[in-house]
Amino acid sequence: MRFCTKKVDAAGPAWPKGSYCVNQYAGTCPNNLVTGTIQFDRENIGSFDAVTDLPSITRTADVTQIKFCCRNDGDAETPVLLPAKDPFYLFRVGDKCQEVIGMDVSEEWIYFDTKESKDAFIGSTVHPDATLKNIKLLLCYYTPKK
């Protein structure tokens, strides 16, 4: 997996109300977003290469925990304003991708083979949509409208 991270910019606009998650970075979430976590056993996952500027991912010999910054305070069908110049991903919360002004959206997913459901858990009230017997994270991929 490759990640694109952006350091928190206190001068930037607030994240709009809606129904989505983004990767957490540096252990904190911007105002009005709450931390969501998904954790799974690394028994069959393999290893992650350590690089700089990763999102908040905790890795031990046995467990991987991924942290997200989430909102679930708006209707996914009400379009929100986010930068629409370049493609980006949001993690889906609820059963629909958040509508974004000026962007087309398609659904994608990431799959982690955890072997058994007891090897994975979701540790928060608001989190990306996922299945737990083998983690399948649901994402929304946004591209500028043509």
Side-chain angles (χ1 to χ4, degrees), residues 20-131:
Y20 57 87
C21 292
V22 296
N23 284 106
Q24 187 182 88
Y25 179 75
T28 60
C29 288
N31 290 341
N32 301 317
L33 276 77
V34 297
T35 298
T37 60
I38 294 179
Q39 180 172 305
F40 50 91
D41 184 347
R42 289 190 47 196
E43 181 179 346
N44 294 321
I45 300 299
S47 63
F48 286 86
D49 291 331
V51 296
T52 59
D53 294 331
L54 280 178
S56 295
I57 298 175
T58 304
R59 302 174 308 270
T60 67
D62 300 320
V63 173
T64 294
Q65 182 182 73
I66 304 173
K67 292 186 178 180
F68 305 90
C69 295
C70 302
R71 288 196 87 137
N72 193 19
D73 58 357
D75 185 350
E77 293 181 354
T78 301
V80 298
L81 181 61
L82 291 172
K85 180 182 172 188
D86 296 312
F88 62 88
Y89 284 95
L90 295 176
F91 290 92
R92 195 178 88 182
V93 172
D95 59 353
K96 295 180 181 172
C97 287
Q98 176 67 53
E99 292 292 324
V100 176
I101 296 168
M103 302 296 274
D104 289 321
V105 63
S106 60
E107 291 190 23
E108 297 187 10
W109 49 269
I110 301 171
Y111 181 82
F112 299 95
D113 179 7
T114 61
K115 215 172 187 185
E116 301 174 32
S117 61
K118 69 177 180 59
D119 293 335
F121 76 91
I122 295 173
S124 54
T125 305
V126 181
H127 52 77
D129 282 350
T131 57

